[in-house]
Amino acid sequence: MSIVEKAAEKLKALPLESGQPQPLQTETKPVPKAPMVERLQERTRMLDQPAESAPLCVVDLAALKRMSVLPADDDAERRLADELRRVKRPLLDNAFGAGAETFARAKRIVVTSAEAGEGKTFTALNLALSLAHETDFEVLLVDGDIPKSDITRIFGLSGEGGLMDVLADEQRAPAEVIVRTDVPNLLVVPAGKRHPLAAELFRSRRMEYVLDQWGGQHRGRLMVFDSPPLLAASESQVLASHMGQVVVVVAAGRTRRQAVNSALQRLNDLQYVGLILNMSDLSADESYYDNDHESHSRDR
Ligand SMILES: Nc1ncnc2c1ncn2[C@@H]1O[C@H](COP(=O)(O)OP(=O)(O)O)[C@@H](O)[C@H]1O
Ligand SMILES: [Mg+2]
């Protein structure tokens, strides 16, 4: 059975829907909009660092909490940390451990989902922060959701050069758009300027070169990409095709199983695919389905 088929099998057992098939829903909670972001931007400063040429972005974690892009209270924080530990284990194993032989490009991780509003950005940000807490490597969080660019706005980096700029302009060095943050080991790449040929640029050889420059020379660097929904934008599938590991976020009780299945069909068999059931009250044990483990309790 292929990796994607295995993921689809696991999906069948997930308690996604209750009773009748639910219509697809998009955003249930509003994504952070301008006023909040502007408030954050006031607190996020770019400082010149004499020792290094890259700018430094000062991240105000309290402001991120108020924007509800980080867990709101200690209890939610503990639950998420517990869940992320389980998510991280196979990802790290594939990137640096025994699984590294199996999955090429496993240091590239994309967080995606079938539809909008399922928690891709929330998961990508919290996963990147959680990975950055491990001391052995750096984490490059890349905003690959060009139309929404929520990661860019969350870090107050709107208007800064980013992914699209180094793809569109071969004269620009990929490293130019990396922004250091005051969170140890966390680096960010903003989305950059929108481009009408985003899918073509994602498909180009330049894309592979840029990703290689960002990650290839740094054996201890992981990349985490936020992305658009797999079913809504063709560039999402193209972006995912460059990645060795894919984390698919599924909003519990909202997304139709068929939609998640269609999303999984857009991934390929060379990738590690892990599913996260987001916004559910299942324990962390039950809400992450990684493909190496066949036995998960689904009695609920
Ligand atoms: N596990 C979670 N706990 C609390 N809030 C969440 C969680 N997942 C998502 N959210 C919130 O739900 C909204 C939609 O999530 P978001 O990550 O922006 O979705 P997407 O990137 O898939 O469109 C945001 O306001 C986000 O902060
Ligand atoms: Mg998003």
Side-chain angles (χ1 to χ4, degrees):
M1 199 185 292
S2 75
I3 290 170
V4 170
E5 279 165 354
K6 275 189 203 165
E9 280 295 302
K10 290 183 160 104
L11 180 69
K12 284 185 194 150
L14 291 179
L16 293 185
E17 297 137 297
S18 50
Q20 294 300 308
Q22 306 273 318
L24 270 184
Q25 293 182 11
T26 50
E27 320 275 351
T28 47
K29 288 172 73 182
V31 173
K33 294 287 189 297
M36 272 180 178
V37 173
E38 277 160 18
R39 283 206 298 278
L40 177 70
Q41 279 172 336
E42 284 167 19
R43 297 176 174 85
T44 306
R45 299 172 289 134
M46 305 289 290
L47 300 175
D48 283 333
Q49 288 296 296
E52 301 205 25
S53 54
L56 179 72
C57 171
V58 179
V59 182
D60 184 340
L61 295 174
L64 296 189
K65 263 185 197 173
R66 286 194 294 278
M67 292 169 74
S68 47
V69 292
L70 294 182
D73 54 48
D74 290 352
D75 206 31
E77 199 171 312
R78 255 192 310 277
R79 266 185 287 123
L80 183 69
D82 194 23
E83 193 156 326
L84 287 176
R85 260 193 293 279
R86 287 168 202 284
V87 175
K88 282 195 301 187
R89 196 186 50 206
L91 295 176
L92 288 173
D93 191 45
N94 291 332
F96 300 112
E101 304 275 302
T102 317
F103 299 102
R105 307 188 292 195
K107 292 196 183 78
R108 301 180 193 167
I109 301 166
V110 65
V111 179
T112 190
S113 72
E115 300 287 333
E118 298 194 71
K120 290 178 292 300
T121 301
F122 183 92
T123 303
L125 174 66
N126 283 282
L127 177 63
L129 284 169
S130 173
L131 285 166
H133 282 143
E134 315 252 342
T135 50
D136 294 345
F137 48 83
E138 287 180 334
V139 179
L140 189 63
L141 174 61
V142 184
D143 194 348
D145 187 349
I146 312 303
K148 278 179 85 185
S149 42
D150 282 337
I151 290 288
T152 303
R153 286 188 285 154
I154 285 166
F155 283 88
L157 296 171
S158 302
E160 298 295 324
L163 171 62
M164 294 316 287
D165 303 291
V166 288
L167 289 181
D169 182 354
E170 304 217 340
Q171 302 305 314
R172 290 191 74 167
E176 255 182 53
V177 294
I178 295 177
V179 177
R180 291 185 305 118
T181 75
D182 66 342
V183 176
N185 298 324
L186 182 70
L187 306 160
V188 179
V189 173
K193 199 158 168 249
R194 285 181 77 157
H195 194 286
L197 300 177
E200 284 75 6
L201 288 173
F202 278 2
R203 205 173 277 120
S204 66
R205 281 171 52 193
R206 173 76 180 164
M207 175 75 169
E208 198 50 45
Y209 173 78
V210 167
L211 298 180
D212 210 45
Q213 290 292 304
W214 283 344
Q217 299 161 340
H218 305 268
R219 291 201 313 157
R221 182 182 284 176
L222 276 176
M223 289 187 264
V224 176
F225 286 75
D226 192 15
S227 70
L230 273 169
L231 300 185
S234 64
E235 64 257 36
S236 184
Q237 186 179 357
V238 183
L239 180 65
S241 71
H242 291 279
M243 308 288 147
Q245 307 205 68
V246 187
V247 174
V248 179
V249 182
V250 178
R254 287 202 276 145
T255 317
R256 286 183 307 175
R257 185 163 294 145
Q258 193 190 1
V260 189
N261 263 327
S262 305
L264 290 174
Q265 295 308 317
R266 290 168 197 228
L267 304 175
N268 70 56
D269 273 350
L270 303 175
Q271 298 169 315
Y272 168 89
V273 181
L275 296 176
I276 291 182
L277 192 61
N278 192 26
M279 304 164 175
S280 85
D281 55 5
L282 295 180
S283 70
D285 253 345
E286 295 162 302
S287 60
Y288 185 66
Y289 292 79
D290 96 61
N291 291 298
D292 297 332
H293 299 85
E294 296 297 327
S295 55
H296 290 279
S297 159
R298 302 195 189 94
D299 298 336
R300 301 173 55 133

